[in-house]
Amino acid sequence: GNSVTQMEGPVTLSEEAFLTINCTYTATGYPSLFWYVQYPGEGLQLLLKATKADDKGSNKGFEATYRKETTSFHLEKGSVQVSDSAVYFCALTKNYGGSQGNLIFGKGTKLSVKP
Amino acid sequence: DSGVTQTPKHLITATGQRVTLRCSPRSGDLSVYWYQQSLDQGLQFLIQYYNGEERAKGNILERFSAQQFPDLHSELNLSSLELGDSALYFCASSVGQGGESPLHFGNGTRLTVT
């Protein structure tokens, strides 16, 4: 079945460090891929997405490239800030022409950024 | 603010009881999704409704049920509660039936079963 595997956390970085959170997926067909972020006490928010191979999603300095050959969608940011501290979820959904769209999430990676 | 409203924010109840969680989707969104977030299982999709009709079902127990009303708000009913049902329950909404439509999540209802 479809699944998402992301690196175990927590990840602790100093401010301005480079961030990579690995995500790989298993799916039949051509899924859409997403990164969601959950700040403390809040619901998840869409951070970025990519809908086909080689697409790069980007937002707020974060980016991730849809790599079909390695079934990966790693999240990167060149210089993290304390305000980036949150839990990051990689997710996929299948494009069934709109008939189904529930997201399959990875277990989440907690990021803590120290000043 | 995602525009998705969930009530109550916190719920504490005893084993064997029944509770109802409520969700109002973002204005204009026709789909409502329910997710359960627990430490051991992570985020699990429970069920989706689109414009009042059940659209997709995930790992939802038979003790749980949901519905979406004509005004598009949704309720998740949890009965015969067990300790293991303690979790954060999220509602999300989207414009379409899914696929590429991003989901907008509420802040969740934290259920504690004692």
Side-chain angles (χ1 to χ4, degrees):
Chain A
N2 300 330
S3 66
V4 175
T5 303
Q6 58 181 109
M7 63 188 288
E8 296 275 337
V11 173
T12 302
L13 295 174
S14 297
E15 208 164 21
E16 299 184 3
F18 184 85
L19 168 71
T20 300
I21 300 178
N22 290 338
C23 171
T24 57
Y25 67 90
T26 301
T28 55
Y30 303 94
S32 290
L33 302 174
F34 304 81
W35 277 100
Y36 278 80
V37 58
Q38 185 179 26
Y39 297 102
E42 298 183 13
L44 280 74
Q45 302 173 26
L46 177 65
L47 181 59
L48 54 83
K49 70 174 186 177
T51 58
K52 60 183 188 296
D54 300 325
D55 265 4
K56 178 185 282 188
S58 61
N59 185 25
K60 299 181 182 179
F62 291 89
E63 58 183 35
T65 301
Y66 188 141
R67 302 280 188 207
K68 197 170 190 325
E69 65 275 12
T70 54
T71 62
S72 65
F73 193 55
H74 304 322
L75 181 68
E76 296 182 337
K77 185 174 186 182
S79 175
V80 293
Q81 306 300 311
V82 172
S83 57
D84 294 326
S85 298
V87 181
Y88 292 82
F89 293 89
C90 185
L92 68 80
T93 188
K94 295 299 297 295
N95 294 327
Y96 286 144
S99 61
Q100 284 191 29
N102 70 82
L103 286 166
I104 297 169
F105 286 93
K107 289 197 177 291
T109 301
K110 183 175 181 179
L111 170 66
S112 294
V113 180
K114 307 298 183 187
Chain B
D1 182 8
S2 68
V4 178
T5 304
Q6 289 187 249
T7 56
K9 289 185 179 179
H10 302 277
L11 203 47
I12 301 174
T13 190
T15 53
Q17 295 298 305
R18 172 191 170 94
V19 297
T20 297
L21 281 53
R22 182 187 169 98
C23 170
S24 293
R26 208 173 58 130
S27 177
D29 285 357
L30 297 178
S31 272
V32 170
Y33 307 75
W34 286 97
Y35 283 83
Q36 180 193 58
Q37 186 179 38
S38 61
L39 281 176
D40 53 345
Q41 296 291 326
L43 258 171
Q44 298 280 317
F45 167 70
L46 296 178
I47 198 164
Q48 176 198 359
Y49 281 82
Y50 175 78
N51 205 21
E53 300 287 328
E54 183 183 303
R55 183 59 64 185
K57 219 166 189 177
N59 300 322
I60 188 166
L61 300 172
E62 284 192 14
R63 300 183 285 109
F64 296 0
S65 65
Q67 55 183 326
Q68 186 179 27
F69 294 87
D71 66 352
L72 301 178
H73 91 270
S74 177
E75 292 181 355
L76 178 67
N77 300 297
L78 314 176
S79 61
S80 302
L81 285 168
E82 302 174 359
L83 295 177
D85 298 327
S86 296
L88 197 50
Y89 291 83
F90 284 108
C91 169
S93 70
S94 70
V95 172
Q97 298 183 51
E100 298 179 16
S101 300
L103 270 59
H104 301 269
F105 283 79
N107 286 354
T109 293
R110 183 169 294 283
L111 173 66
T112 303
V113 182
T114 62

